[in-house]
Amino acid sequence: MSEKKPVVVYGVSGYTGRLVCEYLREYNVPFIAAGRDAAKVKAVVEKIPGIETADYEVVGVEHNVEALTKLFRGSRVVSNMVGPFIKHGSEVVEAALQAGCHYTDTTGEQDWVLLAQEKWGKAFAEKGLLLSPNLAQMYTTGEIAANICLETPGLDTLDILVFWKGFPTYASTQTIFTILKANWYYLEQNKFVEWDVTARADVVVPGQHETAIAVPWGGTAHPVWFKNDPRVSNCRVLGGVLARPVMEGVVQTTQMVKEKIKPLPPAEQEKALADIAATLQASMPPRENPRVNTSIDSVHASGPLGRAHCVIHGNCNYKQTGMLQAYAAFALLQQAPKRTGFASGCQAFGHRELLGQLRSFGLVSKPVLTVQD
């Protein structure tokens, strides 16, 4: 190599990693496609549409801080897809910090987002680097909708709903079951309040007559992003998939977890949940179809004397994630983020900027905003 590729995509052999590479090609950004098994990564990358026009290389690397630091050094951005992040993320963040790289990932794990903020946020800020876990359709698109609502002054409460059609990937399924052993929080008067793991609600979904079942889905990242936002005092989030039978199964599973798995020692909890997850999704799902795989992010924002409601209809939530990761790298290679250290996608790049990118690729429709002053 005459010079190091500026972006490292780690975890390319999974479903989302290949999409990040696909969109990096769209943005004309050179990258290293990395994973623990170079042959597997190579086989995956070679199937990416148009990859012959991309500037990339494939690298195999061991999953430890020393090996990852060596790989990252000389690059500028690390896009991490290796989850569950509470189990595998620490080595990657530490290596990115030591190598002087910005870090983004696709987590949906609230406990990982909180840990990243507490453990590495200050260190990244001191180096002028971005630490942005959870730059993904879950939950950046909802964060965009929330920030559009908050453009109306005087609103302090966010009621957020996140839904999509389709089924999670193998890695996402593993993550979903990993967060079942964590504590989940919503924001009430700027303090974290713990959810009951069995909490559920029947909700009205914008754009359809049928109601749907929603759950806290691990608490989501939104309460963390808005915890220190002076505009917001309360934030609760519910979500799920639009297939009602699937959500009925989720509700039954959370009840079983509360009664039979939570009382077990931590190691036994983890094994029991991993075993269940493996039975539900053990293969790679098909490439998303925009006519089938749709997403809905709905935010009701309210204050003492005002209300706003924003709905963003989208498609292909994993493609949204891939594009968001690629755009973040594209942007970071050209200018500093709006905020360094620990920051959400909207805090780092701007919610209108991210919306514009999603719109430009045909991944979301124009937001539907209703404001009552």
Side-chain angles (χ1 to χ4, degrees):
M1 293 182 297
S2 58
E3 68 177 57
K4 193 74 173 279
K5 301 287 190 289
V7 178
V8 180
V9 184
Y10 183 50
V12 175
S13 58
Y15 190 93
T16 309
R18 69 187 68 191
L19 292 172
V20 177
C21 295
E22 185 173 330
Y23 282 102
L24 285 170
R25 170 193 168 273
E26 298 275 358
Y27 282 106
N28 200 30
V29 174
F31 62 90
I32 296 171
R36 284 165 284 189
D37 186 336
K40 191 174 181 181
V41 171
K42 184 175 184 292
V44 166
V45 173
E46 288 178 345
K47 294 178 182 177
I48 294 174
I51 195 64
E52 66 277 1
T53 63
D55 182 3
Y56 75 98
E57 64 178 293
V58 171
V59 175
V61 61
E62 294 182 22
H63 188 80
N64 60 64
V65 175
E66 182 180 2
L68 290 167
T69 302
K70 184 178 179 181
L71 171 64
F72 297 163
R73 190 165 283 123
S75 295
R76 295 171 59 190
V77 181
V78 173
S79 178
N80 183 23
M81 250 56 57
V82 180
F85 294 88
I86 199 70
K87 294 170 65 176
H88 306 301
S90 296
E91 295 89 342
V92 191
V93 174
E94 192 62 47
L97 179 63
Q98 291 186 22
C101 293
H102 299 290
Y103 172 92
T104 65
D105 73 33
T106 59
T107 189
E109 305 160 50
Q110 187 187 76
D111 55 341
W112 167 247
V113 175
L114 286 166
L115 177 65
Q117 178 184 35
E118 178 185 357
K119 192 170 182 179
W120 297 288
K122 183 178 178 182
F124 270 75
E126 288 173 348
K127 285 193 172 186
L129 298 171
L130 173 65
L131 171 64
S132 190
N134 186 225
L135 183 61
Q137 189 277 327
M138 268 182 91
Y139 298 96
T140 303
T141 309
E143 186 195 2
I144 292 170
N147 275 283
I148 290 173
C149 287
L150 292 171
E151 290 174 355
T152 300
L155 309 181
D156 61 13
T157 298
L158 298 174
D159 178 356
I160 302 176
L161 190 64
V162 181
F163 268 102
W164 67 99
K165 283 184 181 177
F167 294 93
T169 64
Y170 174 76
S172 294
T173 303
Q174 293 291 325
T175 295
I176 290 164
F177 278 85
T178 296
I179 61 177
L180 284 173
K181 62 185 177 61
N183 295 326
W184 314 341
Y185 301 98
Y186 59 91
L187 194 63
E188 186 173 288
Q189 293 304 315
N190 209 39
K191 294 181 179 179
F192 286 131
V193 179
E194 188 175 342
W195 282 101
D196 186 320
V197 71
T198 60
R200 56 153 288 174
D202 287 285
V203 298
V204 176
V205 181
Q208 69 176 47
H209 292 109
E210 185 182 358
T211 60
I213 299 171
V215 298
W217 216 258
T220 82
H222 298 104
V224 184
W225 301 136
F226 290 109
K227 172 71 166 62
N228 296 314
D229 188 323
R231 301 172 297 175
V232 178
S233 295
N234 310 293
C235 180
R236 287 164 59 104
V237 189
L238 294 170
V241 298
L242 284 166
R244 194 175 185 92
V246 173
M247 293 307 297
E248 288 171 348
V250 169
V251 170
Q252 292 173 359
T253 300
T254 54
Q255 185 64 44
M256 180 271 293
V257 167
K258 181 177 181 178
E259 294 174 359
K260 298 183 179 180
I261 294 181
K262 280 275 190 179
L264 298 174
E268 293 182 31
Q269 286 186 43
E270 188 168 328
K271 182 181 184 305
L273 291 169
D275 290 344
I276 298 171
T279 66
L280 296 177
Q281 173 63 280
S283 60
M284 186 74 70
R287 185 174 175 84
E288 290 170 301
N289 182 338
R291 299 178 65 193
V292 175
N293 302 106
T294 59
S295 64
I296 302 172
D297 291 89
S298 173
V299 179
H300 283 286
S302 60
L305 296 173
R307 288 185 172 274
H309 180 210
C310 182
V311 181
I312 298 179
H313 293 274
N315 62 65
C316 303
N317 54 306
Y318 284 100
K319 287 185 183 179
Q320 289 182 49
T321 297
M323 191 238 79
L324 289 165
Q325 286 285 318
Y327 173 71
F330 177 73
L332 289 168
L333 295 180
Q334 297 176 78
Q335 64 181 24
K338 295 177 182 292
R339 183 183 298 185
T340 58
F342 177 81
S344 71
C346 291
Q347 291 163 350
F349 304 105
H351 64 283
R352 287 288 179 180
E353 288 83 348
L354 294 181
L355 175 63
Q357 295 299 312
L358 289 166
R359 295 270 289 139
S360 73
F361 282 96
L363 293 168
V364 301
S365 61
K366 183 179 179 181
V368 180
L369 178 64
T370 308
V371 179
Q372 176 187 333
D373 294 324

